[in-house]
Amino acid sequence: MMRSNGPCVFTLDSGDQTIYPYGTGSSGQLTVEVNSRVQTGGTNLTSINVSGSNIYLTDAGTNQILPYTVGTGCSLSAQVAGAVANLPLTVDPVYSMTDTKNKFCMC
């Protein structure tokens, strides 16, 4: 799965539960960024969503949302508050959605 955020493109690798950030040049050519692989600590990542300068990963394995902030050079930093539990009685979420106010839900 892949999402873009300005000059950055993020790909989710559900095989090893990582995110790969790429930059895009003016010609659209992808470039590998310095932090070319981000370990998420997820157990069953099923989707990636972008809202503003935030990236949200859906982790069906732990039933949580893993929030990151996009920095310079497409770097990712885990948000200080950490993972957010999904709504009670929700099991094995597949998708996440965000609105313009950075609120999210998992479905």
Side-chain angles (χ1 to χ4, degrees), residues 44-90:
N44 185 17
L45 299 178
T46 56
S47 75
I48 182 172
N49 203 320
V50 175
S51 181
S53 61
N54 299 302
I55 301 273
Y56 301 102
L57 304 178
T58 304
D59 187 354
T62 61
N63 204 28
Q64 294 181 326
I65 301 166
L66 307 176
Y68 289 84
T69 301
V70 180
T72 58
C74 302
S75 64
L76 289 177
S77 299
Q79 292 185 3
V80 176
V84 177
N86 194 15
L87 298 172
L89 304 177
T90 303

Side-chain angles (χ1 to χ4, degrees), residues 5-6 14 16 22 24 38 54 61 65 72 76 92:
N5 182 336
S14 59
D16 65 3
Y22 298 91
T24 54
V38 178
N54 299 302
I65 301 166
T72 58
L76 289 177
D92 298 327

Side-chain angles (χ1 to χ4, degrees), residues 90-102:
T90 303
V91 180
D92 298 327
V94 177
Y95 298 104
S96 61
M97 298 175 281
T98 57
D99 67 11
T100 57
K101 296 180 182 176
N102 289 331

Side-chain angles (χ1 to χ4, degrees), residues 1-48:
M1 187 170 286
M2 165 180 84
R3 294 286 183 266
S4 63
N5 182 336
C8 304
V9 174
F10 299 95
T11 61
L12 178 65
D13 185 340
S14 59
D16 65 3
Q17 309 303 305
T18 58
I19 303 173
Y20 289 84
Y22 298 91
T24 54
S26 59
S27 66
Q29 178 66 42
L30 290 177
T31 57
V32 177
E33 294 299 318
V34 174
N35 60 340
S36 62
R37 183 176 173 204
V38 178
Q39 294 289 340
T40 65
T43 61
N44 185 17
L45 299 178
T46 56
S47 75
I48 182 172

